Amino acid sequence: MDETLETLRAHARSAAAQAHVPYSGRRQAAVLLLSDGAYVPGVRVESASFSLLIPALVNAFSTAVAAGRPDVVAVVYNHAFLPEDVAFLRATPQGTFVQHAADVFVETASKLPAVRGRLVPFLDAPAPGSAEDGIALARDVAGRAHVPESQFPVGCVLVVEGGRLVPGVNVEHADWSRILCAERNALGTALTWGLRHPAALYLTCLKDPTGTPCGACRQLLAELAPEATLWMDRGDAPAEAATPERLLPGAFSGQALVKPH
């Protein structure tokens, strides 16, 4: 176990470099170990609207769920766990975790495998050739949503550099303040993998053909994907195109809050 944990600690320290922390400078990262030895990083993602922070732990778990891999057996931070992180792990449905060290939680029923490599979170598909193709991918991804509270699955596909496709789903938690929407899930994954400047996002709300991003997601899209074209599923009708600026005119930039680091 010790060798496995030391490897995960090293990955957490490395992942922290990708944290998006223009306001605090707190480069935090979490790494999940899956049952087959793959690991999933997640970094802290800050917003100009401070309360919309995506914690590293929530980012990592949502990436794993969107990739169809909820089989988490250990969690390692690049610093000691905070009380809110402990509360998150005690209530997550992805396992029963106990604290092993200040920076480590392990799943009680599992023997830790050796670390074998970083999970690839991207979809194995070509970049969509049309809005319909992108929406079809988002509909498939929505089946991975974890929505025991709302029963309202949402899925999206973010197109990033090199045509890679980042899936995102809404991931719910008993603590509603730790719920993450599909759009922010995908943005958090992209930033963790060092991918900026998304080109497009395809979004579906399977139970609501009039669905659009919530206010929180609009703010993060305006900050992190300002040039992206957003395509929204409209059921039997053609997909509707929008931009972050159209969805949230006059979005708060937070430039006066950025700290030199």
Side-chain angles (χ1 to χ4, degrees), residues 158-183:
L158 186 69
V159 183
V160 295
E161 301 166 53
R164 283 173 287 192
L165 307 179
V166 182
V169 297
N170 48 335
V171 181
E172 295 181 348
H173 189 272
D175 176 357
W176 283 24
S177 69
R178 294 303 186 99
I179 290 174
L180 200 62
C181 300
E183 301 93 306

Side-chain angles (χ1 to χ4, degrees), residues 2-179:
D2 289 345
E3 182 178 352
T4 293
L5 294 179
E6 285 307 310
T7 301
L8 294 174
R9 286 180 171 119
H11 288 315
R13 290 192 296 270
S14 176
Q18 298 298 340
H20 178 72
V21 289
Y23 309 108
S24 74
R26 298 172 189 162
R27 295 196 172 276
Q28 297 174 352
V31 168
L32 313 181
L33 180 65
L34 304 180
S35 61
D36 63 355
Y39 72 91
V40 184
V43 300
R44 177 183 172 108
V45 177
E46 295 179 350
S47 166
S49 177
F50 283 10
S51 62
L52 299 182
L53 164 78
I54 303 175
L57 186 61
V58 175
N59 192 353
F61 266 90
S62 64
T63 294
V65 173
R69 294 296 308 273
D71 51 314
V72 179
V73 296
V75 185
V76 172
Y77 242 137
N78 72 324
H79 59 83
F81 277 90
L82 302 172
E84 56 266 32
D85 299 316
V86 174
F88 176 90
L89 285 170
R90 293 263 161 84
T92 181
Q94 274 74 45
T96 302
F97 296 93
V98 295
Q99 192 155 12
H100 177 77
D103 60 343
V104 176
F105 270 77
V106 296
E107 212 278 326
T108 56
S110 301
K111 180 180 179 181
L112 299 188
V115 181
R116 65 173 180 80
R118 187 169 66 168
L119 179 77
V120 177
F122 313 118
L123 300 182
D124 185 14
S130 66
E132 291 73 23
D133 291 343
I135 293 298
L137 289 172
R139 289 175 178 173
D140 287 342
V141 167
R144 303 174 184 177
H146 178 73
V147 288
E149 298 282 349
S150 70
Q151 300 299 315
F152 188 81
V154 179
C156 74
V157 174
L158 186 69
V159 183
V160 295
E161 301 166 53
R164 283 173 287 192
L165 307 179
V166 182
V169 297
N170 48 335
V171 181
E172 295 181 348
H173 189 272
D175 176 357
W176 283 24
S177 69
R178 294 303 186 99
I179 290 174

